[in-house]
Amino acid sequence: MALEKEYQQQKEKEVDYVKVANSPSFKKFMKDKKKFIVPWTIFFLIFYFLLPILTTYTTFLNTPAIGDISWVWLFAFAQFVMTWVLCMVYVKKANTFDKQADKIIEKIQKGGNDK
């Protein structure tokens, strides 16, 4: 008897993922995520691969920038800074995505019409 009751409670808590995936708010959520992730990924990859490409095929990064420090060192240091900044931006944005996803699931579980 207790197992049946527990089974029913779990069944009520289950999320109908097909219904969630077809809801307009989930589609908007995925569109918003893609709008954030794709440009940042492209920027990161270009910035990351620019250093080895420029040092391999050009010499202008070998010129001194500040005293004996060349542009290569500044560019390499900038990649560390960029990685930390990107990480912080992503964590902050991921928190908003998590809240958005929770609201969508909550709305669907309550049986709300998601239109």
Side-chain angles (χ1 to χ4, degrees):
M1 190 73 153
L3 283 174
E4 278 184 36
K5 189 175 181 181
E6 189 176 312
Y7 175 75
Q8 287 296 331
Q9 287 175 343
Q10 281 188 342
K11 188 97 173 156
E12 290 172 4
K13 288 182 181 178
E14 285 182 6
V15 177
D16 183 2
Y17 289 105
V18 174
K19 188 175 179 182
V20 171
N22 291 327
S23 70
S25 59
F26 182 76
K27 289 177 182 174
K28 183 187 177 309
F29 168 70
M30 292 304 291
K31 187 177 176 184
D32 291 345
K33 265 183 83 169
K34 196 181 287 183
K35 219 186 306 183
F36 171 74
I37 291 172
V38 170
W40 278 96
T41 302
I42 291 170
F43 168 75
F44 175 78
L45 290 173
I46 289 172
F47 195 77
Y48 178 77
F49 285 111
L50 202 57
L51 180 62
I53 290 170
L54 288 177
T55 55
T56 302
Y57 299 108
T58 66
T59 57
F60 75 93
L61 288 177
N62 294 332
T63 57
I66 304 168
D68 289 336
I69 300 173
S70 65
W71 286 105
V72 172
W73 287 104
L74 293 178
F75 197 105
F77 182 72
Q79 287 190 335
F80 283 103
V81 172
M82 187 268 308
T83 302
W84 279 98
V85 169
L86 183 63
C87 183
M88 288 188 292
V89 168
Y90 179 77
V91 167
K92 192 170 185 169
K93 195 70 176 179
N95 286 335
T96 62
F97 288 145
D98 288 346
K99 288 176 186 169
Q100 233 179 316
D102 289 342
K103 283 181 185 175
I104 291 169
I105 290 171
E106 188 180 314
K107 188 187 278 184
I108 298 272
Q109 282 181 330
K110 286 182 179 175
N113 192 1
D114 191 39
K115 295 197 178 189

